[in-house]
Amino acid sequence: MDSQPLSTSPRVDVDGSRPRFVEPPGTLATQCGQLDTTALLHIVELLLACQQSRAEPFALNPIDGKAYPHHPVLLRVPLGSYPSEPGVLTELNGLKVPAHFDCESRCNVSQWNPKKNGPMSCPFGNYRYYLELPSRWHACHMHEAFLRSKFTHVQPQLPLIDEEYFELVAVYQSVLRACGSFHAMELGARWGTWGFRSVALLRLLNPMPYQLFLVESHRVHCAGIHMVAKLNGMDATLKCAPADADLFLSIMSRLPHLDLLHIDIQREELQLLSDSRVRAVLNKKVYRIILGTHGEDVDLFAQDPVSKPSQRGPSKRGAGAFFDSKVTQEFLKVNKLKVLLRSHEKRSDGFSVEHQNGKGHMIAATVFSASNYPRGAGEPMGNKAAVVVMEPKDAGSLASSLVSWPAWRVGFTDGMNTNTKVSEEMKNKFQEAQAALTLGPRARALAKLRELTYCARPMLLGYWQAIDTEASGVLAKEHWARGMRACVIADDDFPWEWLEPYMLKTYVDEFNYAVFLGQYGNSLARKLASRFYGGSMMSILPGVKTKADIEAAWNTVDRNGDGRLSYQELRPILRAGVFNDETDKSTMEDHIYSLLCIMDRDKTGFVDREEFVGSIMRFLHGESLVETSFSMESFEGAGPATQSRKSGHTLLEEEMNHWTDEEISQCLASTQGVIRALSTTTGCASAVFQVLDEDSDGAIDRDEFRKGLRQLLAGLPIMRNMSKWEPLLWKLVDEDGSGLVSPHEMNLAFSVRETLSI
């Protein structure tokens, strides 16, 4: 099976049909396929309630019987429904696997396929995945329950916590971080478990050309790989031979990079990784390695220390074992080591001595460097974090110099690039204020959809560009709903297809995704754009002064030489040259997206050489980069006093010359942060005024404004420097300089508007 790129079209349903949705109460569709306004509003409010209720589902750990929050990567996985098939186990993302591969129970295949009666010989070896891994036997019995209930469809669930949980997380992380093309290799593939799982997610959430290489020495397992590939319409290059250094290097010689390398070759891992040629390739080309833990040399991290010999036995982790000081001393003696230093197990003080020898010297210790783990648990008195320090000395070993640094605690949100989370109290206030407004259900529903789409513009552009392999800027309309489902609302039950007439009614069979995204804008962000984005480009093009300089710089920026810049190409350039490690991720993505849109004058979603040179030249000549992109006067409901706003805009441009790029950037980030906060509530921008106007005098003063920002942007890093950017934001919102903000000024500042009325 030679590897060939698959079609990059993601599928929502494995049978290729349109998704089936549960109809909310009321009439959802008319004969022309549109929604009535009451149903449209109901859909949006139902969505928000669903998002909040599913914001943080939990996973069961069958070892200790407790439930823990799912890893954020797994929360990206859509839980779809798929046709039920006897003898076929359907996993997450619609991956189909012959059920007896993992569901052997005394090799009784009839339990999993009613069409086959009686016991049969074990077709897939003597390792009982069904008995050893809780997540697999749980999936097997869920499959059995669906079959016995005679359901026509099954719905795979997120996994239980066992030894494969974080293995799956790591695989999915590689898929979601892939850019341009995805390359994966599985050494010791069995039926291609991790390789095919990665491709299943890739096709659904991050579609792009891929190559999958599977190496497996057992013939029966090679046959299984062929079966899984055929069932799912996937391509892979299979080498039915033992995995060794020569074979690995031969495959790698044909690849530019490897996003994922999974190694599980039954105690031969150390021999492979000891080869200097292999290590050189790993360092140069491989982005992520997942290492199987069958050999004692690589299995130590799954073991846990105990103080008494009577406590030795199977580990509570579900894999590995407990070991005491006697085992530690034997291990150190055999391997000629002084101290065993371990991590990845929480300790209340961040560091603990686990074992000592007969002389009282430390021989095993644990260091844990994440305080208040997990996710701020136990704050402010949760576990401490610690590090250890070792330094070479003239006399004695490195191990003898090991000391534990004083432990500390840091708040979960301190220093992190987190998105703001609006408190429940604030959400309730928005809901009450929204109910008091006279805004009709159609306007409320569409305003909420505008906010959600506006906040997801960077993700949507990246998604659609990955599918648009011809870089035409135009896609079939079916990709619109798929993109909205993947990036805006990851819920199979949300009827994006029914909303197409409202959001894409000007298109027939295809749509220009850059034009669609360009419809949504915010007037306050626009006022800040010209100054910040011009400076952003100049920071990555130092010394550029003439057109010839810009044309020469183009060759450096256009790294793949295709004559255009995509969102994916612009992102790493600006991340390296403009933003720092403390920049909020959402802020950074918003800035990069907006810069590309400002330069993309023909609205293809890409910036060509002429657009790039022209944009930089206009900035060098002191012209606005935004003026020619769109006019806010064309936005619906822009309001009165157009001429005064123009003159006010000129005055504000002069005012902004007194502010630094960093302060303007933070002011822009605060604006986007408010809009993102609103998108998580049932309220629209009009409700902001009602909530912040605490004394109900019909105007918002400076103190009310500051208090509202602290509530809406709680948790964002920019709040540490609020005193630096808030004065500029206040001047921008208070357009008439009265010292008070009116309802119209507040609505204009934080509402998302569109250039075409729906």
Side-chain angles (χ1 to χ4, degrees), residues 300 303-313 321-334 337-340 342 353-365:
L300 190 62
Q303 320 302 327
D304 297 294
V306 292
S307 58
K308 300 177 181 179
S310 60
Q311 296 172 322
R312 289 164 59 175
F322 291 118
F323 64 97
D324 62 2
S325 60
K326 181 179 179 181
V327 175
T328 298
Q329 292 183 67
E330 293 175 353
F331 173 82
L332 296 177
K333 181 179 179 181
V334 169
L337 300 173
K338 298 290 186 181
V339 175
L340 171 63
R342 57 193 296 275
V353 176
E354 307 294 351
H355 296 151
Q356 296 176 320
N357 60 18
K359 298 180 180 180
H361 296 157
M362 179 184 70
I363 58 174

Side-chain angles (χ1 to χ4, degrees), residues 51 448-464 483-490 496 503 513 516-517 520 567 571 586 589-590 593 672 675-676 679 752:
Q51 279 186 317
K448 183 55 58 180
L449 290 171
R450 282 198 297 266
E451 285 175 0
L452 293 168
T453 305
Y454 178 85
C455 294
R457 291 176 304 163
M459 290 180 61
L460 285 167
L461 181 64
Y463 179 92
W464 285 324
M484 301 297 279
R485 183 166 289 112
C487 303
V488 182
I489 301 167
W496 284 114
M503 303 185 77
Y513 51 84
F516 168 73
L517 296 175
Y520 303 99
Y567 179 76
R571 179 197 284 172
S586 297
E589 299 292 351
D590 283 334
Y593 166 81
Q672 304 289 63
I675 297 173
R676 289 184 184 279
S679 72
V752 175

Side-chain angles (χ1 to χ4, degrees), residues 12 14 77-83 85 88-99 101-103 129 133 135-137 139-140 143 154-159 164 168 172 190-198 200-201 204 228 232 234:
V12 176
V14 293
V77 178
L79 302 181
S81 62
Y82 306 92
E85 302 179 47
V88 175
L89 179 68
T90 303
E91 296 191 354
L92 289 172
N93 310 308
L95 181 67
K96 296 189 286 188
V97 182
F101 284 13
D102 287 342
C103 297
Y129 281 92
L133 295 170
S135 61
R136 297 211 189 187
W137 53 252
C140 289
H143 166 75
V154 297
Q155 185 180 44
Q157 299 298 308
L158 295 179
E164 287 193 344
L168 185 64
Y172 283 0
R190 200 168 179 263
W191 55 258
T193 310
W194 303 106
F196 286 130
R197 285 176 176 175
S198 69
L201 182 68
L204 193 64
V228 177
N232 294 278
M234 295 179 179

Side-chain angles (χ1 to χ4, degrees), residues 360-676:
H361 296 157
M362 179 184 70
I363 58 174
T366 299
V367 60
F368 193 78
S369 302
S371 62
N372 299 309
Y373 183 87
R375 299 170 62 87
E379 285 187 331
M381 298 301 293
N383 70 285
K384 293 181 179 180
V387 296
V388 296
V389 178
M390 294 179 285
E391 55 185 357
K393 296 182 178 180
D394 294 336
S397 65
L398 185 65
S400 65
S401 71
L402 187 152
V403 295
S404 172
W405 205 256
W408 70 90
R409 289 188 183 93
V410 177
F412 176 63
T413 59
D414 291 353
M416 294 182 62
N417 297 336
T418 57
N419 290 326
T420 180
K421 289 188 176 181
V422 181
S423 67
E424 290 302 318
E425 179 183 2
M426 198 71 168
K427 288 181 179 179
N428 291 335
K429 289 182 179 180
F430 276 122
Q431 189 171 1
E432 293 172 3
Q434 189 69 56
L437 296 174
T438 58
L439 199 63
R442 177 180 182 273
R444 290 170 60 189
L446 294 178
K448 183 55 58 180
L449 290 171
R450 282 198 297 266
E451 285 175 0
L452 293 168
T453 305
Y454 178 85
C455 294
R457 291 176 304 163
M459 290 180 61
L460 285 167
L461 181 64
Y463 179 92
W464 285 324
Q465 281 186 338
I467 298 174
D468 183 15
T469 56
E470 301 297 324
S472 65
V474 176
L475 290 172
K477 196 165 62 173
E478 65 189 43
H479 292 297
W480 178 84
R482 290 170 176 171
M484 301 297 279
R485 183 166 289 112
C487 303
V488 182
I489 301 167
D491 190 330
D492 284 346
D493 289 335
F494 190 74
W496 284 114
E497 286 79 1
W498 291 336
L499 291 173
E500 281 182 5
Y502 283 88
M503 303 185 77
L504 279 178
K505 74 174 191 177
T506 58
Y507 305 103
V508 184
D509 296 324
E510 55 188 18
F511 74 107
N512 182 310
Y513 51 84
V515 171
F516 168 73
L517 296 175
Q519 292 179 154
Y520 303 99
N522 170 263
S523 64
L524 189 52
R526 173 182 175 267
K527 292 173 182 177
L528 296 160
S530 180
R531 164 71 182 276
F532 176 76
Y533 296 130
S536 297
M537 288 308 299
M538 298 312 296
S539 67
I540 62 174
L541 300 174
V544 170
K545 297 180 179 180
T546 67
K547 184 176 181 179
D549 293 338
I550 302 171
E551 291 175 341
W554 168 261
N555 296 327
T556 302
V557 177
D558 181 23
R559 295 182 177 180
N560 64 3
D562 64 355
R564 58 181 178 266
L565 283 179
S566 67
Y567 179 76
Q568 289 92 335
E569 287 179 292
L570 197 58
R571 179 197 284 172
I573 298 172
L574 285 175
R575 286 179 67 175
V578 178
F579 303 103
N580 55 47
D581 293 338
E582 294 192 3
T583 304
D584 178 72
K585 181 179 179 181
S586 297
T587 298
M588 179 176 62
E589 299 292 351
D590 283 334
H591 287 1
I592 296 171
Y593 166 81
S594 298
L595 175 58
L596 184 142
C597 289
I598 287 171
M599 301 173 73
D600 177 26
R601 301 185 67 185
D602 60 3
K603 302 305 176 189
T604 62
F606 299 85
V607 176
D608 60 30
R609 181 190 182 98
E610 181 180 348
E611 291 171 328
F612 178 83
V613 174
S615 297
I616 305 301
M617 287 296 295
R618 287 197 301 277
F619 177 77
L620 291 176
H621 292 159
E623 301 176 22
S624 171
L625 296 181
V626 184
E627 203 79 28
T628 56
S629 296
F630 57 86
S631 171
M632 282 303 298
E633 281 69 46
S634 66
F635 278 80
E636 60 168 322
T642 301
Q643 187 60 41
S644 65
R645 279 203 302 274
K646 288 182 178 178
S647 60
H649 183 64
T650 301
L651 293 174
L652 283 169
E653 283 183 338
E654 296 176 358
E655 173 69 29
M656 282 194 288
N657 289 331
H658 302 295
W659 300 81
T660 66
D661 284 348
E662 181 180 2
E663 290 163 344
I664 291 176
S665 171
Q666 291 178 334
C667 189
L668 177 58
S670 68
T671 303
Q672 304 289 63
V674 170
I675 297 173
R676 289 184 184 279

Side-chain angles (χ1 to χ4, degrees), residues 37-58:
T37 55
T38 303
L40 184 61
L41 175 63
H42 176 82
I43 289 171
V44 175
E45 292 180 341
L46 186 66
L47 150 74
L48 292 171
C50 182
Q51 279 186 317
Q52 293 168 9
S53 65
R54 291 180 57 187
E56 196 171 47
F58 288 79

